[in-house]
Amino acid sequence: MPVTPHILTLNPLDPIPLVEQIVSGIKRLIEERVLRVGTRLPSIRNFAVLHSVSRFTVVDAYDRLVALGYLASRRGSGFYVATRQQIEIPASGTCRLEQADDVLWLLHNTFQQMPGAVRPGCGWLPGDWLDGGVIQKSLHELSRKSGEYLTGYGDVSGYLPLRQQLLQKRLSDIGIGAEPGQIIMTNGATHGLDLTARLLLRPGDAVLVDDPGYYTLFGYLKSLGATLHGIARNVDGPDVGQMEQLIREFHPKLFFTNTVLHNPTGTSTSLAVAHQILQLAEKHGMYLVEDDVYGDFNPSLAPRLATLDQLKRVIYVSSFSKTISAGLRVGFVACGKELAAKLLDLKLLSGLTSSEINQRVMHQILLEGRYRKHIERVRSRLQEKRGQVIVKLERCGMRLHAEPGGGMFVWARLPEGRNAAEIASLAARANIMLAPGNLFRPYQEPSPWLRFNVAHCEDERIFDFLASHVGK
């Protein structure tokens, strides 16, 4: 007979989502040995009835517990407490992975190989949109050059010719003036965000984030013990009125934001809103971390906080992972000189250097103009696909947050009263991987929104599913 976790209590009025309450509650019961290894949990239906929650919520919670190693699923039999190795509880001030369980579950599922699945909710371009030949040519040319770079650590700051190239072209083109010492090469943008957060945050610090925003960042900030406060995203950028209120109440150290082709809404921050954000940051002594990984997809020049501020209070982070190759892991941070020196020390202590070979490949691609031509082709394809996808979504009864001026994302709302997580759960059974809006909220609060990647919306099964389920 299955054991009912009778000690588990759920509070539907609690701001913590029910899924998280179930996951944390069952984890606690397992870790305290109330539920022993091999114990069978109630069926999804019975658990839902017992605790007055939807079956979708129970499925979500059980799946997360399986991914985290607390439960094992046996086909035709149910869910059982799994055998787990002893987990050392980290001391205060260290990285607390248990605080990011929700995001870790999402990431494990994101990178899981699922044959035959269509992924309109993913956050990257299809492989055949990225020009592998560009990388192969650069690798071939690089392989013919001998040197210590093949076996040595390289410059801790990063390959100097690439940093100079980024200054002269990438940053100069968007109006940012800097020196080589203000640029630190990283293993992708995530590495840059990691270094910045670890340098400037301590457990208990308040942090402002976009709501909706980048869920991987949310999980990482939680693991550092930060308290997240979401700022609603309007069509022209973050809600400045709400931002000012949160600053006065919680005194945050940092605000992490996308200004250009925001993930997930696809919108860009207006010049007027950008000025207001900078004024608030200056007034209250807050750093701004500008994540610009999607900016190159924008067909026109858009304002950046770093352009207006010239890296005094803004820490600018970007990479080529979304535009050229996630495998190369070439990103960078640009900021003020004093802060750059501290970030460099932290990079040295935590990981020594970043790959000079990868940076030389990227330098070659930029030097010969291959990157510019590639980006122009991708922009054109995205423009065409975006228009087609928007028409199809509206025919399915969905409403757009705004029509993006570029990029791969469209943020669309379900009819009133519909929960995106439930729709996504149904779609997953049909091998359609949607991205419900709750994933992009700081604490996975319920949402009627879905993010669509227009480059992955070729399969008509997506719109057949939406047409048959959205209005129901």
Side-chain angles (χ1 to χ4, degrees):
M1 291 290 292
V3 174
T4 300
H6 54 280
I7 305 175
L8 182 65
T9 57
L10 304 179
N11 180 6
L13 300 179
D14 196 306
I16 298 175
L18 287 169
V19 169
E20 289 193 31
Q21 292 184 47
I22 296 170
V23 170
S24 61
I26 293 178
K27 278 176 54 184
R28 175 177 56 81
L29 294 175
I30 293 172
E31 289 169 353
E32 292 175 357
R33 304 297 190 269
V34 176
L35 294 177
R36 300 282 182 170
V37 171
T39 300
R40 182 155 69 99
L41 268 68
S43 69
I44 290 168
R45 179 180 177 279
N46 288 343
F47 190 105
V49 171
L50 178 66
H51 293 282
S52 300
V53 296
S54 77
R55 281 183 286 180
F56 297 112
T57 299
V58 184
V59 169
D60 196 354
Y62 278 13
D63 281 349
R64 294 188 188 198
L65 288 161
V66 170
L68 293 167
Y70 284 86
L71 297 183
S73 174
R74 300 179 191 173
R75 183 176 293 233
S77 179
F79 293 86
Y80 294 78
V81 176
T83 303
R84 291 176 54 80
Q85 294 180 344
Q86 184 68 32
I87 298 175
E88 181 180 349
I89 305 300
S92 176
T94 62
C95 185
R96 298 184 288 179
L97 288 177
E98 76 277 6
Q99 298 296 323
D101 278 348
D102 48 4
V103 175
L104 285 169
W105 175 82
L106 296 172
L107 288 171
H108 280 298
N109 280 274
T110 295
F111 291 104
Q112 183 180 1
Q113 297 299 317
M114 303 183 68
V118 290
R119 293 180 175 271
C122 74
W124 55 84
L125 291 175
D128 58 2
W129 283 47
L130 298 171
D131 192 347
V134 166
I135 300 173
Q136 287 177 324
K137 289 178 183 176
S138 295
L139 282 170
H140 177 68
E141 290 162 6
L142 189 62
S143 68
R144 294 170 5 188
K145 300 176 182 178
S146 60
E148 190 180 338
Y149 75 90
L150 289 169
T151 56
Y153 281 107
D155 190 326
V156 176
S157 296
Y159 185 48
L160 180 59
L162 176 57
R163 287 188 288 132
Q164 292 172 330
Q165 193 173 38
L166 291 172
L167 287 172
Q168 295 163 5
K169 292 297 297 178
R170 180 75 171 261
L171 297 186
S172 177
D173 284 351
I174 58 176
I176 300 173
E179 300 174 6
Q182 292 177 258
I183 291 187
I184 300 168
M185 301 307 302
T186 60
N187 298 315
T190 304
H191 184 202
L193 296 172
D194 166 29
L195 291 173
T196 301
R198 277 196 287 147
L199 179 68
L200 298 175
L201 293 178
R202 297 295 176 268
D205 283 347
V207 178
L208 300 183
V209 294
D210 287 330
D211 181 9
Y214 181 37
Y215 62 77
T216 304
L217 172 68
F218 297 163
Y220 181 69
L221 293 175
K222 290 176 188 177
S223 78
L224 294 179
T227 303
L228 309 190
H229 299 279
I231 300 178
R233 185 81 186 192
N234 298 325
V235 173
D236 59 351
D239 185 321
V240 179
Q242 184 188 18
M243 181 178 178
E244 184 170 15
Q245 180 181 347
L246 291 172
I247 290 174
R248 292 183 184 279
E249 185 173 356
F250 298 106
H251 310 289
K253 287 188 175 181
L254 295 171
F255 173 35
F256 289 85
T257 186
N258 282 143
T259 47
V260 181
L261 300 182
H262 169 257
N263 177 20
T265 68
T267 58
S268 296
T269 301
S270 70
L271 184 60
V273 169
H275 274 297
Q276 292 176 68
I277 291 172
L278 284 168
Q279 289 169 1
L280 285 173
E282 181 68 30
K283 181 178 179 180
H284 296 279
M286 181 176 66
Y287 278 111
L288 303 172
V289 184
E290 183 172 30
D291 181 354
D292 195 26
V293 294
Y294 299 102
D296 281 358
F297 291 130
N298 203 42
S300 58
L301 188 63
R304 268 83 167 177
L305 294 170
T307 304
L308 301 173
D309 173 75
Q310 292 299 304
L311 303 179
K312 296 183 183 71
R313 193 165 291 281
V314 175
I315 301 164
Y316 181 84
V317 181
S318 191
S319 82
F320 298 96
S321 298
K322 302 297 182 182
T323 54
I324 282 289
S325 169
L328 278 180
R329 310 308 299 153
V330 177
F332 66 94
V333 177
C335 57
K337 292 180 182 178
E338 184 178 339
L339 190 58
K342 294 179 180 178
L343 286 171
L344 186 61
D345 285 345
L346 181 56
K347 175 186 174 182
L348 184 60
L349 283 171
S350 60
L352 299 180
T353 63
S354 44
S355 170
E356 182 175 321
I357 295 175
N358 291 355
Q359 292 163 26
R360 282 176 176 258
V361 169
M362 197 65 233
H363 173 253
Q364 194 74 27
I365 292 171
L366 292 171
L367 187 66
E368 299 188 0
R370 297 171 187 164
Y371 182 75
R372 177 182 54 80
K373 294 174 183 177
H374 165 69
I375 285 296
E376 287 174 355
R377 288 193 297 269
V378 171
R379 285 175 184 165
S380 178
R381 291 184 73 176
L382 286 173
Q383 182 75 14
E384 179 185 356
K385 294 297 179 186
R386 191 165 52 252
Q388 296 171 358
V389 170
I390 287 172
V391 169
K392 292 178 180 180
L393 290 174
E394 290 177 336
R395 285 176 181 168
C396 292
M398 304 196 71
R399 178 171 59 84
L400 265 61
H401 172 72
E403 186 165 340
M408 65 178 83
F409 299 134
V410 172
W411 190 236
R413 184 186 177 101
L414 295 165
E416 200 65 38
R418 301 308 305 272
N419 187 317
E422 293 184 0
I423 293 294
S425 181
L426 290 170
R429 298 177 189 178
N431 236 10
I432 300 170
M433 304 298 125
L434 297 176
N438 62 298
L439 305 188
F440 302 94
R441 305 204 63 194
Y443 292 97
Q444 280 72 58
E445 299 91 334
S447 170
W449 295 90
L450 289 161
R451 185 190 75 178
F452 291 90
N453 182 337
V454 300
H456 283 269
C457 286
E458 291 277 2
D459 199 311
E460 286 301 320
R461 285 181 293 169
I462 300 165
F463 304 102
D464 290 341
F465 171 85
L466 292 173
S468 62
H469 289 82
V470 165
K472 291 187 178 181

